[in-house]
Amino acid sequence: MTDTKAPDAGRRSERSRRAIYEAALALVAEEGYTRTTIEGIAARAGVGKQTIYRWWPSKSAVLLEAFLDLAEQAAAGEREIPDTGDLATDLKLVLRATVDEMNSPAYDGPARALAAEGVIDPVLGARFVEKLLDPQLELYATRLRSAEEAGQVRAGTDLRIALELLVGPLTHRWLLRTLPLTHAYADTVVDYALNGLAPRG
Amino acid sequence: MTDTKAPDAGRRSERSRRAIYEAALALVAEEGYTRTTIEGIAARAGVGKQTIYRWWPSKSAVLLEAFLDLAEQAAAGEREIPDTGDLATDLKLVLRATVDEMNSPAYDGPARALAAEGVIDPVLGARFVEKLLDPQLELYATRLRSAEEAGQVRAGTDLRIALELLVGPLTHRWLLRTLPLTHAYADTVVDYALNGLAPRG
């Protein structure tokens, strides 16, 4: 009996975990972070409150993990920025994908809620940066390092600041909703960052 | 009698208005936007609730105006980006001042609370952009246009996207609190944006 029960329990756990993630993301997108509660997540996921507390210490822990899980699914194996040898093409590909993600309601809702909460709450903000943002930014640093070695980025460039010239404008437009985020915009940001605003001699 | 009463009433109004602005900014910095109420602002400013409702239709209207007033005082007459003829020097001056502002608690608290609320609430966000952000960004556009005419910015550059390469990285670092905002950082952002990341021939 226990031999057949164990895999069932595992499947049930996995199903519950996924239901909890989905409920958490939906609630934070619909209600905002502040009004999302462990009780609400449990009710929507069809699990007991205790199931959630057994696995996570707090609401922000559930949400951050739900979001990490979403990001992992979205990435679907392609965790690296491609390296075709053509830096501009590779960066445009990844910035266009970022634009698509920012324009997708399934991502925008929870990501926006989590980012806004991180803007206010330094503890959540630090976890958001450490767990979610920094690993993404590191992919840019890796690609830029390879470009530097190939002579496509000026030697001695501070690659951390360099990558902020790429992601900073997109994040500004996304979070503050100033103007539409399009592929053409992503392409122009890459061209300007690589070639500079000043005329080349 | 009424001749002498009118200026007194004007002075009292101006005093009340300033007390309301200060109370609103202090409360939103200390308590956050959500927990700041008209009642709380009135109590802290030492005025009746009706005084506030007579002048402003909503909490967000008070806060946005308080913030506009703060921004105006901070600017203290120097609303333009200087034009010495040297674009890099002028941009470094203004980005360094922006860094100082972002690092100042009196600005950071309310600006961060208002920005975070705008991230979540599209209506407040749109007013924040229209009333506060766009007029500031227009100053960059003006300076870059003059630089384009002087041949220091490539002809035909989309100046709106160009300015986002300057303010985007600073805003990213400020809102997401990734790394320290320093004058050296501001200088490097300007150098990279003007000269580009790719080597110059």
Side-chain angles (χ1 to χ4, degrees):
Chain A
M1 277 285 269
T2 49
D3 284 346
T4 58
K5 241 179 113 182
D8 277 0
R11 271 199 294 276
R12 270 202 306 276
S13 285
E14 185 49 32
R15 253 203 320 271
S16 297
R17 182 178 293 271
R18 186 130 320 271
I20 290 163
Y21 285 159
E22 281 165 13
L25 292 172
L27 277 176
V28 82
E30 291 165 17
E31 306 287 337
Y33 178 87
T34 310
R35 274 184 284 182
T36 298
T37 60
I38 294 277
E39 287 76 5
I41 297 170
R44 184 156 181 154
V47 303
K49 225 168 67 169
Q50 288 315 315
T51 303
I52 299 186
Y53 281 121
R54 198 162 58 229
W55 290 333
W56 296 280
S58 67
K59 174 176 85 166
S60 72
V62 184
L63 277 169
L64 200 67
E65 253 186 61
F67 203 79
L68 286 170
D69 184 67
L70 183 75
E72 266 170 35
Q73 287 177 269
E78 40 156 337
R79 294 305 300 162
E80 286 184 8
I81 295 176
D83 190 347
T84 65
D86 180 341
L87 179 62
T89 300
D90 296 347
L91 289 176
K92 283 174 188 178
L93 188 80
V94 71
L95 286 203
R96 282 175 172 218
T98 304
V99 158
D100 291 344
E101 200 173 48
M102 287 169 166
N103 285 329
S104 126
Y107 173 93
D108 177 73
R112 183 175 289 284
L114 208 60
E117 195 63 24
V119 168
I120 296 300
D121 175 347
V123 175
L124 182 70
R127 296 192 61 222
F128 179 82
V129 168
E130 182 200 338
K131 297 282 184 190
L132 204 63
L133 187 63
D134 274 348
Q136 287 174 4
L137 298 185
E138 190 49 39
L139 303 178
Y140 287 88
T142 301
R143 182 64 188 87
L144 290 172
R145 198 168 299 118
S146 146
E148 187 185 6
E149 284 159 12
Q152 293 175 354
V153 162
R154 193 177 290 114
T157 297
D158 183 323
L159 300 180
R160 168 66 201 214
I161 298 179
L163 70 87
E164 290 180 34
L165 260 76
L166 300 163
V167 300
L170 269 74
T171 305
H172 188 266
R173 209 168 256 227
W174 174 57
L175 280 181
L176 303 178
R177 279 184 276 234
T178 51
L179 287 171
L181 278 158
T182 63
H183 284 187
Y185 174 71
D187 290 354
T188 305
V189 167
V190 171
D191 287 335
Y192 288 5
L194 294 185
N195 299 319
L197 304 175
R200 295 207 161 215
Chain B
M1 275 284 270
T2 48
D3 284 346
T4 58
K5 242 180 112 182
D8 277 0
R11 271 199 295 275
R12 269 203 306 276
S13 285
E14 184 48 33
R15 253 204 320 270
S16 296
R17 184 179 292 273
R18 186 130 321 270
I20 290 163
Y21 286 159
E22 281 166 12
L25 292 172
L27 276 176
V28 81
E30 289 165 18
E31 306 286 338
Y33 178 88
T34 310
R35 274 184 284 184
T36 298
T37 60
I38 295 277
E39 287 77 5
I41 297 170
R44 185 154 179 156
V47 303
K49 225 168 68 168
Q50 287 315 314
T51 303
I52 298 187
Y53 282 120
R54 197 163 59 231
W55 290 332
W56 297 280
S58 66
K59 174 177 85 168
S60 71
V62 183
L63 277 169
L64 200 66
E65 253 188 61
F67 203 78
L68 286 169
D69 184 67
L70 183 73
E72 265 169 36
Q73 286 177 270
E78 40 156 335
R79 294 304 301 162
E80 286 184 8
I81 295 175
D83 190 346
T84 65
D86 179 341
L87 180 62
T89 300
D90 295 347
L91 289 176
K92 284 175 187 177
L93 188 79
V94 71
L95 286 201
R96 282 176 173 217
T98 304
V99 158
D100 290 345
E101 201 174 47
M102 288 170 166
N103 284 330
S104 125
Y107 172 93
D108 176 73
R112 182 175 289 284
L114 208 59
E117 195 62 25
V119 167
I120 296 299
D121 175 347
V123 176
L124 182 69
R127 297 190 60 222
F128 178 82
V129 168
E130 182 200 337
K131 297 283 184 191
L132 205 62
L133 188 61
D134 274 347
Q136 288 175 4
L137 298 186
E138 190 49 39
L139 303 178
Y140 287 89
T142 302
R143 183 62 189 87
L144 289 172
R145 198 169 298 118
S146 146
E148 186 184 5
E149 284 159 13
Q152 294 176 354
V153 162
R154 194 177 289 116
T157 297
D158 183 323
L159 301 180
R160 169 64 200 216
I161 299 179
L163 70 86
E164 291 181 30
L165 260 76
L166 299 164
V167 299
L170 268 73
T171 306
H172 188 265
R173 210 169 255 226
W174 174 56
L175 280 181
L176 303 178
R177 278 184 277 232
T178 51
L179 288 171
L181 278 158
T182 63
H183 284 186
Y185 174 72
D187 290 354
T188 305
V189 167
V190 171
D191 287 334
Y192 288 4
L194 294 185
N195 298 319
L197 304 175
R200 294 207 161 215

